[in-house]
Amino acid sequence: MKHSLLLVFLFISVFSFGQKIKVKKGEVFIDKVKVAHIEKIKAKGLRHFQISDLDKNPIFRAGDLKVESLLFHSDKSYPYNAFFRDEAKDTLLINSKHHYFLSKKKIFKLAMEMGIFTPEGFQTTKFEELVEQTPKRPERILKKLDKERKLLSGKGHRVERDFNDLDIHLIAFPSEKAYSQLNKSMVDQVKYNIYIGDPHVEEGDHTLIGSAIREVGTVSGEYFFIFNTKKFPLASYHSMTFKIYGNKKELGIMDHDIKLSMGSKRSEAIKEMVRELIKRGKI
């Protein structure tokens, strides 16, 4: 049975590669025969395409879907590609290992390789069969969510201390190149340890209560992040917006006391973030 399935997929693959696909002004041609229509549609910032038959009746869609981070909420998401239909809740993963940049021609090439579209049109039965056999989310994303889920146990953790909470001190480490907290872009990153009390005074009281990261180089500019000692992300600051992640709270410029300008010290901005979190009992 496995050998026959393999032969079927090999036949489909060779068959689809041997046919010429062309898209012109939204019309799709296979070997110069018009078989469908395709158009790009707006979908909350995601790249979606509507595929219709020759009479422009909607058949199915293709495009980007995403899973929101368990830790950073809407600030971070994991994208993947899928085929889906308006009347069906289930989606059909295009490739569980990679995230493609989908063009109109690429969509039909992939659909033909998977056997859900042929020169005769959309293959409903084949689509439904593959939907039943395919995971709903890519394994690579499930693994990332599992890693995030382990950090969720640190949500709400606070280090106990019995001295002045607002006596905040930082120890900065050398800048280094690293992946952004929010995406795959390389950034300049500075890490800090956050203390209550001065750690440089040998006989003084001080307690490590968390850490911070400042990163520069993402397409969105400069970001600050605060973590508790369990490495759970507590908050971020970017473009005058302060976000508290545990409860998805977003504070605009009038809702917090953090002040950051081009001439200000970045360490002071981190301290102000920590003070805001202390006020709210988050760190």
Side-chain angles (χ1 to χ4, degrees), residues 102-118:
L102 290 177
S103 65
K104 293 177 180 179
K105 186 175 179 179
K106 181 79 170 178
I107 286 168
F108 275 88
K109 179 177 179 294
L110 292 167
M112 291 179 68
E113 286 177 11
M114 295 174 70
I116 65 170
F117 197 90
T118 71

Side-chain angles (χ1 to χ4, degrees), residues 158-165 196 207 209 274 278 283:
R158 293 178 72 249
V159 175
E160 294 298 323
R161 59 263 187 181
D162 56 3
F163 45 96
N164 185 0
D165 270 356
I196 297 296
T207 301
I209 64 168
V274 176
I278 288 172
I283 191 171

Side-chain angles (χ1 to χ4, degrees), residues 246-271:
N247 54 6
K248 298 187 179 183
K249 191 169 185 178
E250 184 172 318
L251 305 175
I253 188 171
M254 302 302 291
D255 302 317
H256 59 76
D257 297 323
I258 302 169
K259 301 175 184 65
L260 181 62
S261 64
M262 291 303 293
S264 63
K265 291 182 178 180
R266 271 37 187 169
S267 59
E268 289 304 314
I270 293 172
K271 289 179 182 180

Side-chain angles (χ1 to χ4, degrees), residues 6-8 20-21 66 87 90 102 104 125 134-135 142-143 182 184 188-189 200 219 227 247-248 265 269 275 280 282:
L6 179 60
L7 288 172
V8 169
K20 188 175 181 180
I21 303 168
K66 62 182 181 181
E87 70 271 16
D90 286 333
L102 290 177
K104 293 177 180 179
T125 302
T134 307
L142 294 177
K143 287 180 179 178
L182 302 181
K184 291 183 178 180
D188 292 316
Q189 201 173 83
H200 296 102
V219 291
F227 303 81
N247 54 6
K248 298 187 179 183
K265 291 182 178 180
R275 291 186 188 103
R280 292 170 169 80
K282 300 295 182 181

Side-chain angles (χ1 to χ4, degrees), residues 106-151:
K106 181 79 170 178
I107 286 168
F108 275 88
K109 179 177 179 294
L110 292 167
M112 291 179 68
E113 286 177 11
M114 295 174 70
I116 65 170
F117 197 90
T118 71
E120 287 70 44
F122 181 63
Q123 304 300 306
T124 305
T125 302
K126 182 66 176 178
F127 181 89
E128 291 175 350
E129 286 177 1
L130 289 176
V131 165
E132 288 296 321
Q133 299 167 10
T134 307
K136 303 309 171 220
R137 291 179 176 177
E139 185 179 350
R140 60 183 170 83
I141 293 179
L142 294 177
K143 287 180 179 178
K144 290 177 181 178
L145 293 176
D146 282 342
K147 288 182 180 179
E148 289 192 348
R149 202 168 280 113
K150 292 175 182 178
L151 292 176

Side-chain angles (χ1 to χ4, degrees), residues 52-100:
S52 306
D53 63 19
L54 294 176
D55 297 319
K56 294 193 175 181
N57 298 310
I59 311 172
F60 68 105
R61 293 187 179 192
D64 296 327
L65 298 177
K66 62 182 181 181
V67 179
E68 192 175 279
S69 165
L70 301 175
L71 303 176
F72 296 93
H73 309 313
S74 60
D75 275 353
K76 182 175 185 176
S77 58
Y78 303 110
Y80 62 100
N81 309 118
F83 293 119
F84 47 95
R85 292 180 296 172
D86 292 338
E87 70 271 16
K89 292 182 180 179
D90 286 333
T91 58
L92 173 58
L93 295 182
I94 290 177
N95 189 309
S96 61
K97 294 183 179 180
H98 303 285
H99 177 234
Y100 292 119

